[in-house]
Amino acid sequence: MPKLTDEAFASRRDHILWSALRCFARQGFHSTSMAQVIAESGVSAGSVYRYFPSKADLILAAGDWVLGRVLDAADEAVAIRDEASPVAVMRVVFERIHENLHPDGEDRSVVALSVWQEATRDARVAAMLQHNYGELRARVRVLVVRWRDAGHLPVSTDADGLATALFALIPGLIVQHHALGAEIDSGAAFGAIEALFAGAEAAAHAARDQAQDV
Amino acid sequence: MPKLTDEAFASRRDHILWSALRCFARQGFHSTSMAQVIAESGVSAGSVYRYFPSKADLILAAGDWVLGRVLDAADEAVAIRDEASPVAVMRVVFERIHENLHPDGEDRSVVALSVWQEATRDARVAAMLQHNYGELRARVRVLVVRWRDAGHLPVSTDADGLATALFALIPGLIVQHHALGAEIDSGAAFGAIEALFAGAEAAAHAARDQAQDV
Amino acid sequence: MPKLTDEAFASRRDHILWSALRCFARQGFHSTSMAQVIAESGVSAGSVYRYFPSKADLILAAGDWVLGRVLDAADEAVAIRDEASPVAVMRVVFERIHENLHPDGEDRSVVALSVWQEATRDARVAAMLQHNYGELRARVRVLVVRWRDAGHLPVSTDADGLATALFALIPGLIVQHHALGAEIDSGAAFGAIEALFAGAEAAAHAARDQAQDV
Amino acid sequence: MPKLTDEAFASRRDHILWSALRCFARQGFHSTSMAQVIAESGVSAGSVYRYFPSKADLILAAGDWVLGRVLDAADEAVAIRDEASPVAVMRVVFERIHENLHPDGEDRSVVALSVWQEATRDARVAAMLQHNYGELRARVRVLVVRWRDAGHLPVSTDADGLATALFALIPGLIVQHHALGAEIDSGAAFGAIEALFAGAEAAAHAARDQAQDV
DNA sequence: GATGAATGAGGTTTCATTCAT
DNA sequence: GATGAATGAAACCTCATTCAT
């Protein structure tokens, strides 16, 4: 066989990666055997190892893919909504995450739970997680600063603290979703935070008006 | 040999459980072998299996212990602070969680990451997680309702949505802590949310005053 | 099961070791699979790995056993024959080697070939080989010095060179035996060297007598 | 595509063979993978298999090449030194072996260790070894007979036994060299044997003179 | 009741070889 | 003729669990 084109190589690699993701979503990293990934992908053991030198590499790539889709979702939402509140954007991010992770109807957000756990054992996964979540958190912080500077939040607002709190919604809602099931309404959670923001904004305006009166 | 007294039985069981927890905190459930638990506990393999019929049972018990300490923390905080805001109570809960999980200086909050992941594989762990987080969420909801009914939040406040959002802080901050390390200041996150609450409260009062004026 | 006594432990370990030696003698280290050793020994895989943590350890132990028997043979021969010529002792050593390595009629001297080869790949085997052959060579050197000092060899004899040459007989004859088969008569080789020694001794005496005459 | 000329074919084959020899010298036959040979040679897997139908064939050819160089060394030495003692010729053979095996500074005498070991597993390698060493031994025997017939050794000398003993020097010194390293002085070993020969020759002459006197 | 040696299914990975291009 | 991606049997080793003592 002649040398694979780059696209053909990437396509085969992606096929294996997505097969692995289906397995990982069902059973987590460590309860998925390479034999299962091999069976799911339909290629030979040797081929899987040609594209991913070890199970750890496959886990790393799968985790990176999932967190990468989350980051993509954030990028899209942040880019488009210029004048929207951070919570509104986060809501869109959260919806996009689900869309990005379900191109075929299978839930891949569970894999995030496996990534968090794996990061405690594998330094490369930890680094990958740190990088992805560092970037993601930076996006959230931008939203907060932009909103505060537009006058919707008091100037005294602690952008870092608020970014941390808003970021927490994403893993926090994923965990609740998987732990408590359908009874969790993440839309309502965003609505509640939005109401808080609205109240805070009103108070901020009132304070400003009062300051101007004097 | 004579039958073990109940206390002796419970004491040996706890000893094994805590040994297992140390291992699980270091390496997660699946990278901890029973041999390691056995070595850490200093008892024989046969003994471990007398108190925990299988590794799955040991994982279940360890997970339950960790989530139970979280629930304890919530109970204490909810019981004591009658007139405090939900955020203030959550902050205390979060601090208590760390205290409860570090009786000996070792961090056991990581085990929560393992529990979330394990729940996707083991129905009993999923049920245990659902029960614990259901209870915990109910506590949070009580805080919200109490606070709203005391007039600190608009009557229109969606208690379920807000409870979901506040609950999200706990796993959300734990994940950020383990992913991003020391740069995450959970205290600042609580502070930021508290500021939002304060703003919302001011707005709520203003609205009420206006309503009364009419 | 209660703790194994030291003898029981050693006995089981020896059983596995000898099973492995049979396999190694037939096929060499690398063409013998652990599965074959396991089948030959009749115990489980886990048991084999309890006594030998890895295949490399089993190879090391097997090699050490074989070279140890050679060293034993040398020790016995050196201790007993006080007044015999080095060649006569070497001949006995060579015969003893065969006896020591064939307690059950199976030839285990081939394993030496595997050890030499393995030493080029495994540092521990190399160290073990160096130690065993260093000791063995020291024994040969003692024989030479003793014989020279007893006046059977010229005082100018290079003990190190002669020791190296005599030592070479052992691997040299083993290789010829395995390469060329039965047509090799190692007894005749020792006889030829013995004749050389006798000639050299006569010459040495003649030289001394002449020196005294003057 | 046009048929390869015989020279082109042989040239490519030799290139692959020498690449394999470099690998075999470094790691032995069984720890060298075909992938390593392929990488070292810079040609494709398919090409390697065109010139050598299997790894066993490559091993056979490599072994034959190494032993062939040894035989070449013996032929040259035997042809040139007509009046030299067998030991002197062997010394030259030994030096030539090293020259022949180090055309590029890499030691290929280790491969001999692999060949001896492989012969216990592969009948074709065994036959090749037997042929090469049979030829080599015949050369050594010629030296001995020639020397004895020239009157340097007693007529009673056992040519076969002495040939076996002298032949043993070659593998015996190679093994010691690889096992014990630089502390082995093969030149000294030849010197010591040469001294023995000299002594034996003196004794032989004395005996003859005495016989003539009578 | 406690012990710990033994079990063996199953895990990950390698590698000699083939054959479509 | 040459290429190199694909194959899959088989390698080494682990580990949850059992049960004779």
Side-chain angles (χ1 to χ4, degrees):
Chain A
M1 298 174 185
K3 197 165 169 59
L4 243 51
T5 62
D6 284 357
E7 303 95 81
F9 183 90
S11 152
R12 281 192 74 88
R13 199 187 119 105
D14 282 351
H15 170 70
I16 293 168
L17 185 59
W18 289 331
S19 304
L21 274 164
R22 278 193 295 279
C23 296
F24 291 157
R26 283 197 291 269
Q27 307 178 271
F29 296 144
H30 284 49
S31 301
T32 298
S33 70
M34 288 304 281
Q36 285 174 285
V37 173
I38 287 157
E40 179 81 28
S41 68
V43 304
S44 67
S47 270
V48 170
Y49 276 87
R50 178 172 164 69
Y51 291 92
F52 299 95
S54 73
K55 187 178 182 180
D57 287 280
L58 189 52
I59 286 173
L60 183 64
D64 198 28
W65 188 90
V66 168
L67 298 197
R69 296 296 71 68
V70 173
L71 206 50
D72 289 350
D75 277 334
E76 296 167 33
V78 171
I80 295 171
R81 326 254 146 184
D82 217 353
E83 73 302 345
S85 93
V87 192
V89 179
M90 293 299 285
R91 183 202 293 270
V92 174
V93 169
F94 199 74
E95 284 160 2
R96 289 272 165 98
I97 288 174
H98 272 255
E99 287 163 23
N100 284 357
L101 291 177
H102 298 72
D104 52 4
E106 285 207 55
D107 185 359
R108 282 194 263 279
S109 66
V110 234
V111 176
L113 307 185
S114 292
V115 172
W116 302 335
Q117 138 66 26
E118 188 67 11
T120 67
R121 303 192 340 92
D122 182 326
R124 283 155 75 211
V125 173
M128 179 271 285
L129 176 60
Q130 183 168 22
H131 172 255
N132 271 286
Y133 275 15
E135 293 288 317
L136 183 56
R137 194 172 170 286
R139 307 286 192 283
V140 178
R141 196 176 183 285
V142 164
L143 293 177
V144 170
V145 169
R146 194 198 277 171
W147 196 244
R148 182 190 60 189
D149 293 352
H152 302 294
L153 289 169
V155 289
S156 63
T157 297
D158 173 7
D160 274 308
L162 192 50
T164 301
L166 288 178
F167 185 129
L169 286 172
I170 293 176
L173 290 175
I174 289 176
V175 168
Q176 282 185 84
H177 175 70
H178 286 293
L180 298 175
E183 68 189 273
I184 290 306
D185 181 350
S186 51
F190 284 110
I193 299 288
E194 226 154 354
L196 283 184
F197 265 68
E201 180 165 6
H205 288 173
R208 195 165 47 213
D209 295 348
Q210 232 172 332
Q212 284 174 338
D213 286 355
V214 175
Chain B
M1 292 181 188
K3 188 160 165 35
L4 245 54
T5 62
D6 285 358
E7 303 95 82
F9 184 91
S11 154
R12 278 186 81 92
R13 200 187 117 106
D14 281 351
H15 171 69
I16 293 167
L17 184 59
W18 290 329
S19 305
L21 274 164
R22 277 193 295 280
C23 297
F24 291 156
R26 283 197 291 266
Q27 307 179 268
F29 295 145
H30 283 56
S31 301
T32 298
S33 69
M34 289 302 280
Q36 284 174 284
V37 174
I38 287 158
E40 178 83 28
S41 68
V43 304
S44 68
S47 270
V48 169
Y49 275 84
R50 178 169 162 69
Y51 293 94
F52 299 94
S54 74
K55 189 180 181 181
D57 287 280
L58 190 51
I59 286 173
L60 184 64
D64 198 27
W65 188 90
V66 168
L67 298 196
R69 295 297 70 68
V70 174
L71 207 50
D72 288 351
D75 277 335
E76 294 166 36
V78 172
I80 294 171
R81 325 253 145 182
D82 217 350
E83 72 303 345
S85 92
V87 192
V89 178
M90 293 299 284
R91 185 203 291 270
V92 174
V93 169
F94 199 74
E95 285 160 2
R96 289 274 164 96
I97 287 174
H98 272 253
E99 287 163 22
N100 283 358
L101 291 177
H102 299 72
D104 51 5
E106 286 207 55
D107 185 357
R108 282 194 263 279
S109 67
V110 237
V111 177
L113 307 185
S114 292
V115 172
W116 303 335
Q117 137 66 25
E118 187 66 10
T120 67
R121 305 193 336 93
D122 181 326
R124 285 155 74 210
V125 173
M128 180 273 284
L129 175 61
Q130 182 167 23
H131 172 256
N132 271 285
Y133 274 15
E135 292 287 318
L136 182 56
R137 196 173 169 285
R139 306 287 193 283
V140 178
R141 197 178 183 285
V142 163
L143 292 176
V144 170
V145 170
R146 195 196 276 171
W147 195 246
R148 183 189 61 190
D149 293 354
H152 301 295
L153 288 170
V155 289
S156 64
T157 298
D158 174 5
D160 272 308
L162 193 50
T164 301
L166 288 177
F167 186 129
L169 286 172
I170 292 176
L173 291 175
I174 289 176
V175 167
Q176 282 184 84
H177 176 70
H178 285 293
L180 298 175
E183 67 189 273
I184 290 306
D185 181 350
S186 51
F190 284 111
I193 299 288
E194 226 153 353
L196 284 183
F197 265 69
E201 179 164 6
H205 288 175
R208 195 166 46 215
D209 295 348
Q210 231 173 333
Q212 284 173 340
D213 287 355
V214 176
Chain C
M1 297 172 184
K3 197 165 170 57
L4 242 53
T5 62
D6 285 358
E7 303 96 79
F9 183 92
S11 152
R12 281 191 75 89
R13 199 187 119 105
D14 283 350
H15 170 70
I16 293 167
L17 185 59
W18 290 329
S19 304
L21 275 164
R22 277 193 295 279
C23 298
F24 292 157
R26 283 197 291 268
Q27 306 179 271
F29 295 144
H30 284 49
S31 302
T32 298
S33 71
M34 288 304 281
Q36 285 174 286
V37 173
I38 287 157
E40 179 81 27
S41 68
V43 304
S44 66
S47 269
V48 169
Y49 277 88
R50 177 171 165 69
Y51 292 92
F52 299 95
S54 72
K55 188 179 182 181
D57 287 280
L58 189 51
I59 286 173
L60 183 64
D64 198 28
W65 189 90
V66 168
L67 299 196
R69 295 297 71 66
V70 173
L71 207 51
D72 289 351
D75 277 334
E76 294 166 35
V78 171
I80 295 171
R81 325 252 144 183
D82 217 350
E83 74 301 344
S85 90
V87 192
V89 178
M90 293 299 284
R91 183 202 293 271
V92 173
V93 168
F94 199 75
E95 284 161 1
R96 287 271 165 97
I97 288 173
H98 272 254
E99 286 163 22
N100 284 357
L101 291 176
H102 299 70
D104 52 5
E106 285 207 55
D107 185 358
R108 283 194 262 280
S109 66
V110 235
V111 177
L113 307 185
S114 293
V115 172
W116 301 336
Q117 138 66 26
E118 187 66 10
T120 67
R121 305 193 335 94
D122 182 326
R124 285 155 74 211
V125 173
M128 180 271 286
L129 175 61
Q130 182 168 23
H131 172 255
N132 270 286
Y133 275 15
E135 292 288 315
L136 183 55
R137 194 172 170 287
R139 307 286 193 283
V140 178
R141 196 177 185 286
V142 163
L143 292 176
V144 170
V145 169
R146 194 197 277 171
W147 195 244
R148 182 189 61 189
D149 293 352
H152 302 294
L153 289 170
V155 288
S156 64
T157 298
D158 173 6
D160 274 307
L162 192 50
T164 301
L166 289 177
F167 186 129
L169 287 172
I170 292 177
L173 290 175
I174 290 176
V175 168
Q176 283 184 84
H177 175 70
H178 287 292
L180 299 174
E183 67 189 272
I184 291 305
D185 181 350
S186 51
F190 284 110
I193 299 289
E194 225 153 356
L196 284 184
F197 265 68
E201 179 165 5
H205 287 175
R208 194 163 48 212
D209 294 348
Q210 230 171 337
Q212 285 174 339
D213 286 355
V214 174
Chain D
M1 295 183 185
K3 186 158 165 36
L4 245 55
T5 63
D6 284 358
E7 303 94 82
F9 184 91
S11 156
R12 278 187 80 90
R13 198 187 119 104
D14 281 351
H15 172 69
I16 293 168
L17 184 59
W18 289 329
S19 303
L21 273 164
R22 277 194 294 279
C23 297
F24 292 157
R26 282 198 291 268
Q27 308 178 270
F29 296 145
H30 284 56
S31 301
T32 298
S33 68
M34 289 303 280
Q36 285 173 283
V37 173
I38 288 158
E40 179 82 28
S41 69
V43 305
S44 68
S47 269
V48 170
Y49 274 85
R50 177 167 163 69
Y51 294 92
F52 299 94
S54 73
K55 189 180 182 181
D57 287 281
L58 191 50
I59 286 173
L60 183 64
D64 198 27
W65 188 90
V66 169
L67 299 196
R69 295 297 70 67
V70 173
L71 207 50
D72 288 352
D75 277 335
E76 296 166 35
V78 172
I80 295 171
R81 325 254 147 180
D82 217 348
E83 72 302 346
S85 93
V87 191
V89 179
M90 292 299 286
R91 184 202 292 269
V92 173
V93 169
F94 198 75
E95 285 160 2
R96 288 274 164 96
I97 288 174
H98 272 253
E99 287 162 23
N100 284 357
L101 291 177
H102 298 72
D104 52 4
E106 285 207 58
D107 185 359
R108 283 194 261 280
S109 67
V110 237
V111 177
L113 307 185
S114 292
V115 172
W116 302 337
Q117 138 65 27
E118 188 67 10
T120 67
R121 305 193 337 92
D122 181 325
R124 285 154 74 212
V125 173
M128 179 272 286
L129 174 63
Q130 183 167 22
H131 172 255
N132 271 286
Y133 274 15
E135 292 289 317
L136 182 56
R137 195 173 169 286
R139 308 286 193 284
V140 178
R141 196 177 184 286
V142 164
L143 293 176
V144 170
V145 169
R146 195 198 278 170
W147 196 243
R148 182 189 61 189
D149 294 351
H152 301 294
L153 290 170
V155 289
S156 64
T157 297
D158 172 8
D160 274 306
L162 193 49
T164 302
L166 289 177
F167 186 129
L169 286 172
I170 292 176
L173 290 175
I174 289 176
V175 167
Q176 282 185 84
H177 176 70
H178 287 292
L180 297 175
E183 68 189 272
I184 291 305
D185 181 350
S186 50
F190 284 110
I193 299 288
E194 227 153 354
L196 283 183
F197 265 69
E201 180 165 5
H205 288 174
R208 196 165 46 214
D209 295 347
Q210 232 171 337
Q212 286 173 338
D213 287 355
V214 174

